[in-house]
Every structure is written in structure tokens, then in C-alpha cells.
Amino acid sequence: MNTRTLGRDLQVSAVGLGCMGFSHAYGAPTREEDAIQLLRQAFQMGYTFFDTAEVYGTPEDPHANERIVGQALAPYRDKVILATKFGLRFDLESGKVPYPLIPNSRPETIRRAVEGSLKRLGTDHIDLYFQHRMDPAVSPEEVAGVMADLIREGKITHWGISEVDEAYLRRAHAVCPVTAVQNRYSMMARHYEPLFPVLEELGIGLVAFSPMANGFLTGKYGKGTTFDRRYDYRASMPQFTDEAVDQNRALLNLLEEMARQKGATPTQISLAWMLCKKPWIVPIPGTRQLQRMGENAGAADVALSPQEVQALDEALDHMELSPVFGGTPCQKK
């Protein structure tokens, strides 16, 4: 797979692998030995960018994902980029699914978090350390100051912010340069596009999570699809209802038609659309199927012209799409 550069110098595979689903939110957790094998196969396939977080786990093993990712990629540590995140915990006592989010980016919390992540990942440094959500109780300058210290100490080499807005990003970047933002972005969730000129101005990359609208844009989920309400967040996502399938038929048809023209799949078109839009966008679709990993990686080879990308944008501008899951709101501590 070809590579892209986030920020000034962080080189990653053009498509990364979101690892959350092995442990959290997309059904019962994958058996550890199976997850490890799949992660190693992803590396052999050309993936060099792997994204996890300290909170991706289970109630029984809250940090499982980092541990599994670290173990799987230990043989290739000097050849991969590991991204993980701090500053968030789940309210497991709420009884709600998806779990409510509680941000905490106090300096002492970050210090504990980075040491835990380094240990679980089995590494002496984190390549890209994301603040998982903005914390209204802690200024961006204070968070960025801690990041600058961690870089000087060699515990991290780059940092970023997830689900960030322009004002917070500018303030943080002025203290310690930000390498990437990790924001939700897909054909069904384009609300961060106004931030693109700011990213271009500051030389910051976009790591696009949920690039296929939680899998809806694969076209594999039709009417009558059900999900396990205990383990799978998709059970409560609005784009997977029978009504939404009808509402989004024009979008699915658009993807299928472009896929036929390009000798690709709808999944690959939905990823190529953003890859061909900006050279600093890196999607991180998640999957637990080897075939899907190969399909996602193949999107990096699908060429869409600027005119084709613009035509897709214009079509999307005039479509009446269903609501789409936009993430769980953060709660007060």
C-alpha cells in the first residue's frame, strides 16, 4: 500500500486500521488469538497505521484493545505507527448503550494514562497520541503543554485531537504543533468539511474515523438487519433502520454505479472519495474480516479525478439522507 504523511513528517499507510471493533462496540469481542492473527495479516497486507485507545475494551477487561494490539504488532514494532488515545472514560454504571462519555484531560490523568498505554502496548514510545475528546474543564493550552513535555521526554513523538473544533485546535497548536485530528467523516457525515481549510493552513492531517458511516456505506446491510443490543452499538444507530435503508437508497445506488464504472466496490468508492479529495486524509475503517481488510486497502488504488470527486459532492449536497450516528455526547464528570 502507498503511504501518506500526517503533519510534517509522520508517514502512514494510506488506509489505516481502526482496531476498536476487536474489543468494543461492534458485537461480542473477537477471540484474542483470532484478533492477533488478523492484525498480523493486516500488516502483511500493507497496513502500517493502527489505531486504538485506552478505553477500547470490555467491562471485564477495560484496556483489552491496547494489550492485544501491542502483542500482535510486537514483531513489527519498528515498522508500524501506533496511535492511541487518552482523556476519556465510559460511564458503565449508567445502564445506557452506547455508554455515556466522561472526559478527563487533567495533567495528572494524562500522566497516568500514558504510562498505562506504554505498558500495555509493550513499547517505549507512542507514535501518535490523541486527546480522545475535548475537556471543557482543562484548557487546550494546558493539554498541549503536557504533550510538549511528553515529546521532550520521548514518551510520544506526535500528538493529535479527536472531534476537535477550530478554536480549540488553533489554541492547542500554538503551544505544541498538532500532527493530526481524528474526526468522524464519511459521505453521510460531512460536518467537519469547514475545518479543512484550517487543517491545510496549519499543515495538520485528518484521520477519518467511521469513514463508511459505521459500515452502512458498504451496502451490506438491508432491511431487517438486526444487531446484538448488548454488544453492538449499531442496534441503536439511525442509519440502520428499515426506514433509513429506503431514505438512503439514492446514495447506495450512486456508490454502486460509480463502483461499476471503476471496477471497484461501493466500499472502495466511499473511501476513495475522501482519499482523492485531499492528500492528507487517512481513513481508518475497522473490520474483523480478512476479506474486508483487503477490500479497504484496495481503495488506495482507486483513482477518482477531481471532477469525479466534485460530482459526488454535488450529488451528496442534493440528497435527502437519513440521520446518521454522530457519536455519544460527553457528560459532565
Side-chain angles (χ1 to χ4, degrees):
M1 202 189 316
N2 55 19
T3 61
R4 296 195 158 198
T5 302
L6 296 172
R8 292 178 294 191
D9 60 2
L10 187 63
Q11 193 171 74
V12 299
S13 52
V15 178
L17 182 63
C19 301
M20 180 182 75
F22 289 116
S23 310
H24 175 75
Y26 286 92
T30 306
R31 289 196 319 164
E32 287 195 13
E33 54 266 41
D34 294 337
I36 289 169
Q37 181 180 9
L38 284 165
L39 285 161
R40 290 176 177 172
Q41 288 173 311
F43 173 77
Q44 298 298 335
M45 198 178 286
Y47 287 90
T48 63
F49 184 35
F50 296 84
D51 179 86
T52 181
E54 66 171 343
V55 292
Y56 295 162
T58 66
E60 299 75 26
D61 190 354
H63 310 299
N65 203 258
E66 282 187 326
R67 180 173 47 76
I68 292 167
V69 169
Q71 183 178 343
L73 300 176
Y76 324 113
R77 180 62 189 98
D78 61 340
K79 298 179 177 66
V80 298
I81 298 299
L82 295 180
T84 192
K85 309 179 194 73
F86 68 89
L88 196 67
R89 69 178 176 87
F90 295 125
D91 181 359
L92 300 179
E93 292 74 44
S94 68
K96 299 178 181 178
V97 178
Y99 303 129
L101 308 178
I102 301 175
N104 182 346
S105 287
R106 294 192 298 269
E108 62 272 22
T109 303
I110 298 172
R111 285 284 178 180
R112 286 195 301 270
V114 73
E115 295 300 335
S117 291
L118 286 168
K119 182 177 180 180
R120 288 185 292 272
L121 290 168
T123 186
D124 63 356
H125 72 280
I126 294 164
D127 301 295
L128 182 53
Y129 201 35
F130 282 109
Q131 183 182 14
H132 210 152
R133 291 292 186 272
M134 298 178 288
D135 183 349
V138 183
S139 74
E141 290 84 1
E142 189 169 11
V143 174
V146 178
M147 295 299 106
D149 289 341
L150 293 177
I151 290 171
R152 281 192 291 269
E153 294 164 18
K155 293 181 178 180
I156 70 174
T157 60
H158 304 77
W159 84 290
I161 312 169
S162 184
E163 294 285 80
V164 69
D165 59 33
E166 178 181 352
Y168 191 101
L169 178 61
R170 286 189 181 277
R171 289 172 61 184
H173 185 76
V175 174
C176 182
V178 173
T179 291
V181 303
Q182 185 175 136
N183 286 1
R184 184 182 302 274
Y185 186 52
S186 73
M187 285 183 163
M188 295 184 73
R190 299 170 62 202
H191 50 283
Y192 281 116
E193 286 186 350
L195 189 64
F196 286 8
V198 179
L199 300 180
E200 202 129 39
E201 171 197 340
L202 300 178
I204 297 171
L206 171 65
V207 175
F209 77 89
S210 293
M212 291 181 289
N214 308 99
F216 181 84
L217 296 176
T218 63
K220 305 297 182 184
Y221 301 96
K223 290 184 177 181
T225 301
T226 58
F227 301 96
D228 185 335
R229 289 194 169 275
R230 179 183 177 189
Y231 292 112
D232 201 320
Y233 284 11
R234 289 171 294 183
S236 60
M237 291 183 184
Q239 68 267 37
F240 290 102
T241 64
D242 287 355
E243 295 77 14
V245 173
D246 286 334
Q247 285 178 277
N248 299 319
R249 178 52 56 193
L251 173 54
L252 296 176
N253 289 343
L254 176 69
L255 287 170
E256 290 167 2
E257 176 57 30
M258 180 65 78
R260 281 193 293 270
Q261 294 176 21
K262 293 293 181 178
T265 67
T267 291
Q268 291 171 333
I269 297 300
S270 67
L271 294 172
W273 164 77
M274 63 179 70
L275 285 165
C276 296
K277 185 171 290 201
K278 298 291 183 182
W280 37 262
I281 295 179
V282 176
I284 51 167
T287 183
R288 299 189 285 182
Q289 298 181 43
L290 187 63
Q291 179 184 351
R292 297 282 174 255
M293 286 182 188
E295 182 181 9
N296 295 344
D301 298 321
V302 177
L304 300 180
S305 69
Q307 294 76 20
E308 288 170 326
V309 172
Q310 183 178 357
L312 289 171
D313 282 345
E314 290 175 355
L316 293 171
D317 289 340
H318 294 90
M319 281 183 183
E320 292 291 334
L321 300 176
S322 77
V324 63
F325 181 67
T328 309
C330 288
Q331 309 291 322
K332 292 184 179 179
K333 300 171 192 175

